[in-house]
């Protein structure tokens, strides 16, 4: 069993999807779960209220070294696999499911438009609409700077998960204004009431610091203790 084909596809997916569709470039995200028995890539849209909707999941069968999506047949009531043999078919499948999802979301929004207007048909606006693309980076003092333009060079990668209770993800980007690297970490905790608590942190560092950071981690891995839920 080999994950070489999985890793190759993961490395190409983000750039290919961004270039194939402007809408996906603005709204779509992907997250890699390499540790699962069948590694997978989840494709999702994140809305303003931080609500995340997964619109497609791409699985990888390491034994047969093939990608597939699962589909549910309403007629038979059974789930079957759609095998995707190459990167072009994978891109087409994700692209199609993205637009099907967004079309359904648009229909829901149009149905809710009546609630946006008051009795005089005056629009209700949100003052935060102009800063949707900004990234807030908090300092130790509790204050924050606003980074307007961060180029994310990797998708969100799952670093750790435990059952359906906790997950930690990372993604890497570059601050365009300074050229510094930025690591974005999200810790998600799912409560018994099916609520999600998110804790987001950002770590910014220069290219000159990167080597020392990597060396510090590598030289101290043996003194760290892993999380043992048992």
């Amino acid at each position: 069993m080999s994950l070489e084909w999985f890793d190759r596809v993961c490395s190409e997916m983000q750039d290919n999807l961004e270039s194939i569709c402007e809408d996906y470039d603005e709204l779509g995200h992907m997250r890699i779960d390499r540790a699962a028995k069948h590694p997978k890539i989840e494709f999702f849209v994140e809305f303003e209220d931080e609500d995340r909707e997964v619109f497609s999941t791409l699985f990888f069968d390491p034994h047969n070294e093939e990608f597939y999506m699962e589909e549910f047949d309403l007629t038979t009531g059974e789930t079957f696999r759609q095998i995707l043999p190459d990167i072009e078919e994978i891109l087409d499948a994700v692209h199609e499911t993205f637009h099907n999802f967004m079309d359904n979301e648009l229909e829901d929004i149009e149905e809710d438009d009546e609630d946006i207007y008051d009795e005089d048909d005056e629009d209700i606006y949100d003052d935060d609409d102009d800063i949707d693309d900004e990234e807030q980076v908090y300092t130790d003092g509790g204050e924050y700077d606003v980074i307007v333009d961060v180029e994310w060079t990797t998708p969100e990668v799952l670093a750790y998960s435990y059952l359906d209770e906790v997950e930690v993800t990372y993604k890497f980007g570059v601050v365009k204004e300074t050229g510094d690297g930025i690591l974005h970490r999200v810790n998600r905790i799912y409560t018994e009431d099916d609520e999600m608590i998110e804790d987001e942190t950002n770590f910014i560092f220069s290219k000159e610091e990167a080597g020392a950071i990597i060396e510090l981690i590598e030289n101290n891995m043996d003194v760290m203790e892993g999380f043992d839920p048992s």
Side-chain angles (χ1 to χ4, degrees):
M1 295 187 293
S2 171
L3 293 182
E4 180 183 355
W5 176 226
F6 177 78
D7 291 336
R8 285 171 55 195
V9 169
C10 288
S11 66
E12 296 182 16
M13 283 295 292
Q14 186 76 1
D15 290 340
N16 281 317
L17 282 169
E18 289 175 354
S19 63
I20 203 173
C21 176
E22 183 178 351
D23 290 336
Y24 182 93
D25 185 20
E26 295 178 356
L27 301 171
H29 304 275
M30 58 182 278
R31 188 192 72 163
I32 300 168
D33 184 355
R34 199 176 186 274
K37 184 177 180 180
H38 276 200
K40 62 183 179 180
I41 309 174
E42 289 183 338
F43 303 89
F44 63 92
V45 172
E46 206 161 49
F47 298 101
E48 293 181 4
D49 57 2
E50 297 185 353
D51 185 23
R52 171 179 296 192
E53 291 286 345
V54 176
F55 63 83
S56 183
T57 303
L58 178 67
F59 295 94
F60 180 71
D61 182 346
H63 180 74
N64 296 310
E65 296 188 10
E66 61 186 14
F67 283 92
Y68 66 91
M69 287 184 176
E70 292 185 341
E71 296 187 9
F72 182 74
D73 191 327
L74 294 174
T75 304
T76 64
E78 296 180 352
T79 301
F80 65 94
R81 292 184 179 182
Q82 176 191 0
I83 305 299
L84 302 168
D86 54 50
I87 185 70
E88 286 77 14
E89 291 197 26
I90 292 172
L91 289 169
D92 289 342
V94 175
H95 193 200
E96 180 180 356
T97 55
F98 169 72
H99 282 287
N100 289 339
F101 170 79
M102 293 307 298
D103 288 344
N104 291 332
E105 285 295 315
L106 183 60
E107 291 177 3
D108 293 340
I109 292 173
E110 290 174 348
E111 291 176 359
D112 294 337
D113 274 349
E114 296 178 0
D115 298 331
I116 300 179
Y117 301 96
D118 60 18
E119 294 179 355
D120 297 326
D121 290 337
E122 294 180 355
D123 294 341
I124 300 175
Y125 296 98
D126 187 344
D127 292 337
D128 294 332
D129 285 347
D130 294 334
I131 59 172
D132 289 342
D133 295 332
E134 295 180 350
E135 182 74 41
Q136 293 180 337
V137 180
Y138 290 86
T139 64
D140 293 337
E143 299 178 353
Y144 60 86
D145 299 319
V146 176
I147 298 177
V148 178
D149 200 0
V150 176
E151 180 181 357
W152 299 110
T153 60
T154 72
E156 191 174 76
V157 177
L158 182 66
Y160 171 79
S161 67
Y162 175 64
L163 300 179
D164 293 324
E165 300 174 3
V166 179
E167 70 174 28
V168 179
T169 64
Y170 283 87
K171 64 178 178 179
F172 178 83
V174 175
V175 182
K176 287 189 176 181
E177 184 178 354
T178 62
D180 290 338
I182 177 171
L183 276 177
H184 181 68
R185 179 183 187 271
V186 182
N187 182 24
R188 298 183 179 91
I189 300 175
Y190 300 89
T191 68
E192 295 180 355
D193 299 327
D194 292 330
E195 295 183 356
M196 182 180 69
I197 302 172
E198 277 193 346
D199 177 36
E200 299 187 37
T201 55
N202 294 281
F203 175 57
I204 299 177
F205 55 95
S206 66
K207 185 175 183 179
E208 290 75 16
E209 296 174 76
I213 294 170
I214 294 171
E215 185 177 356
L216 280 172
I217 295 173
E218 289 181 342
N219 292 343
N220 290 276
M221 286 288 290
D222 57 340
V223 300
M224 297 175 64
E225 296 183 4
F227 175 70
D228 185 0
S230 60

